[in-house]
Amino acid sequence: MEKLIIRGGRTLKGTATVSGSKNASLPILAAALLTDELCVLDGVPALRDVTTMIRILRNLGVKVTQEGSRVTVDPAGYAGIEAPYRLVSTMRASFCVLGPLLAKKRQAKVSLPGGCVIGPRPVDLHLKGLKALGASLKIEGGYVLASSRELRGNTIYLGGAFGSSVLGTANVLMAACLSKGRTLIENAACEPELVDLANVLLKMGAKIQGHGTPVISVEGVRRLNGFTHRVIPDRIEAGTFLIAAAVNGCELRVNGARPEHLGAVIDKLREVGVEVSAKDGSMLIRPKRRLRPVDVTTLPYPGFPTDMQAQMMALMSQTPGISVITEKIYPDRFMHVAELGRMGARIKLEGATAIVQGLPRLMGAPVMASDLRASAALVLASLAAKGTSEVSRIYHLDRGYDRIDEKLTRLGAEIRREKAE
Ligand code: EPU
């Protein structure tokens, strides 16, 4: 296991370049299961979660090669139908092989992912959608056993208690592409990652309309082709760099991001008092001297992303005044609160709302990462804190950020990666 030793208070400057999106790459790699032809995905980030998805594909008999950020998937004649617990339990996104396997092979055995540290994370919407397409589903020994002689289009309302589901929409959309007739997905997720997946499916010959809106319409086709595609930039990594600039009071340029995917984050940062300007694929962030506290509520896209909530809390805990942060997607996603508290942050939790009494500066401390975005928040907090912090269990960070410690070091941060005892 490794940890990061971070000395706070260094001035960051320069340009950060954003990698390809993790959450777009994962379902797009699963979409290769829908065809027999070669699929080429460019811009894939070097992350543990991507490695896990590749292992799942290989386990199904698919040939996968990786050269730098290009992943080539050759699914010709793959015969596997099972995604085992040992792989699915380490990464929930692997559950989105269910829809493609069912549509292409007419049967699938995919482990239930189980809960995770950010909350219970059920898959009922995935199952409801696939059942509406005509799949017969059984749960046995912790696995979903799915089969169907023929999938048929249907009208499916995919909303749950916390709104739409990103991977649920992905699973149903992929299966609908090879179903007979027309499918309408209502309350579909509108996240840019889902739109990227739909664009890949269109390249494969699928007939989809309305992606990026809450109602997606799919006219099923008999077969799908291979594709060549460059994945969209990671908007959460980009947002994490924007907050790194804000929390350190430094001017940074962020290259390769799409500002149109970051509307809610940019709007909040402007409210905090950070100047954000975008031009020619590059964003410039210039914090003003005095930042202001703000209230933030996470919501499905285009609302403020839950995947930026922890990082925003790291910023607010070092912005004097009272900020209120409400989590509407994962009401339990607050594991970072106690760790930020170890650095002196004053945060009170009331249900799914955190009341943050911001201080001018936190103090470095040994802290422990609990999930991916919580880890990022602890890194950001440490960059600005007085003194040295040790962030342990950073395998969480490596699941979703492409060499973020190296990227921050290039910007002037003092970060060392060490083996933890
Ligand atoms: N939900 C249900 N039933 C379902 C599915 C989801 O009730 O069948 C609930 C969830 O418990 C949650 C809400 O619906 O309260 C939204 O969950 P969603 O299904 O949209 O999450 P996901 O698709 O499993 C993706 C991202 C997450 C991100 C969420 C929300 C990937 C691989 N993961 O998860 O990313 O937080 O959407 O935007 O795309 C991360 O990158 O750190 C991460 C956790």
Side-chain angles (χ1 to χ4, degrees):
M1 253 198 271
E2 293 180 320
K3 61 183 177 184
L4 293 180
I5 319 284
I6 303 175
R7 193 154 76 86
R10 300 289 307 242
T11 304
L12 305 185
K13 63 171 193 292
T15 303
T17 301
V18 174
S19 299
S21 160
K22 162 181 90 83
N23 289 350
S25 299
L26 298 172
I28 292 174
L29 288 171
L33 294 169
L34 290 163
T35 178
D36 298 311
E37 297 180 8
L38 207 65
C39 302
V40 180
L41 189 58
D42 283 314
V44 181
L47 304 174
R48 269 229 339 238
D49 277 8
V50 167
T51 311
T52 305
M53 184 54 93
I54 291 175
R55 286 176 67 199
I56 290 194
L57 295 180
R58 287 190 177 135
N59 196 61
L60 290 163
V62 174
K63 292 183 210 72
V64 188
T65 53
Q66 226 178 337
E67 276 172 74
S69 64
R70 166 170 283 198
V71 177
T72 304
V73 184
D74 178 3
Y78 78 90
I81 54 148
E82 181 175 340
Y85 178 64
R86 74 187 148 79
L87 295 173
V88 181
S89 60
T90 64
M91 184 187 74
R92 280 181 56 86
S94 33
F95 196 68
C96 68
V97 299
L98 178 60
L101 282 176
L102 182 65
K104 185 79 171 96
K105 296 288 172 192
R106 301 284 177 236
Q107 50 177 338
K109 180 178 178 188
V110 178
S111 167
L112 282 164
C116 75
V117 40
I118 66 174
R121 302 186 77 184
V123 289
D124 55 314
L125 295 173
H126 302 235
L127 301 183
K128 174 184 169 184
L130 296 174
K131 200 165 173 195
L133 292 177
S136 98
L137 301 170
K138 261 196 308 193
I139 309 241
E140 243 177 58
Y143 279 78
V144 177
L145 308 181
S147 62
S148 156
R149 227 176 297 140
E150 179 181 73
L151 294 179
R152 281 182 173 269
N154 203 343
T155 296
I156 305 162
Y157 180 81
L158 263 196
F162 299 99
S164 54
S165 163
V166 180
L167 292 176
T169 305
N171 242 334
V172 177
L173 174 64
M174 288 190 278
C177 288
L178 286 182
S179 298
K180 199 168 176 190
R182 183 156 185 252
T183 298
L184 267 190
I185 306 176
E186 297 175 343
N187 209 0
C190 302
E191 271 67 7
E193 294 76 15
L194 204 274
V195 174
D196 207 30
L197 169 68
N199 285 332
V200 169
L201 293 167
L202 285 168
K203 285 184 179 176
M204 296 172 80
K207 293 194 177 145
I208 303 172
Q209 283 181 329
H211 44 298
T213 78
V215 181
I216 302 181
S217 150
V218 185
E219 195 63 50
V221 295
R222 290 173 66 89
R223 61 179 297 280
L224 291 167
N225 317 314
F227 62 83
T228 298
H229 184 75
R230 172 166 289 276
V231 77
I232 54 169
D234 198 306
R235 64 190 166 107
I236 305 300
E237 186 194 8
T240 303
F241 282 121
L242 299 187
I243 293 192
V247 76
N248 269 56
C250 305
E251 183 176 312
L252 279 187
R253 193 173 281 282
V254 177
N255 271 355
R258 294 222 191 138
E260 69 271 25
H261 292 166
L262 281 156
V265 175
I266 293 174
D267 183 67
K268 254 322 144 193
L269 285 175
R270 286 187 177 141
E271 201 182 322
V272 170
V274 181
E275 269 177 33
V276 184
S277 55
K279 206 174 154 198
D280 303 331
S282 165
M283 281 191 283
L284 184 66
I285 311 106
R286 281 203 204 105
K288 294 194 184 143
R289 212 169 303 140
R290 264 185 75 101
L291 299 188
R292 292 181 292 268
V294 289
D295 295 347
V296 180
T297 300
T298 65
L299 288 168
Y301 189 84
F304 192 92
T306 172
D307 291 345
M308 288 297 302
Q309 179 257 107
Q311 300 90 313
M312 195 67 188
M313 196 179 293
L315 173 61
M316 290 299 97
S317 59
Q318 306 197 63
T319 301
I322 304 283
S323 298
V324 178
I325 300 182
T326 303
E327 177 55 70
K328 293 264 191 190
I329 309 289
Y330 296 114
D332 297 326
R333 193 177 203 178
F334 285 115
M335 300 295 283
H336 42 284
V337 168
E339 297 302 306
L340 288 170
R342 304 196 74 257
M343 301 176 72
R346 296 207 189 129
I347 305 169
K348 202 167 145 223
L349 263 184
E350 285 191 9
T353 295
I355 297 141
V356 184
Q357 190 190 335
L359 301 168
R361 238 177 138 184
L362 298 182
M363 290 163 306
V367 287
M368 199 177 276
S370 55
D371 75 81
L372 171 52
R373 308 303 170 187
S375 320
L378 296 175
V379 170
L380 293 178
S382 307
L383 287 176
K386 191 166 187 303
T388 301
S389 301
E390 277 187 31
V391 185
S392 56
R393 299 209 177 159
I394 51 154
Y395 53 87
H396 292 293
L397 195 67
D398 295 335
R399 278 190 47 204
Y401 285 92
D402 189 355
R403 295 158 295 158
I404 195 169
D405 46 333
E406 288 174 28
K407 290 188 184 182
L408 288 168
T409 303
R410 278 202 290 277
L411 297 174
E414 197 176 317
I415 305 186
R416 258 188 356 262
R417 193 178 267 258
E418 280 186 5
K419 286 245 167 310
E421 316 74 59

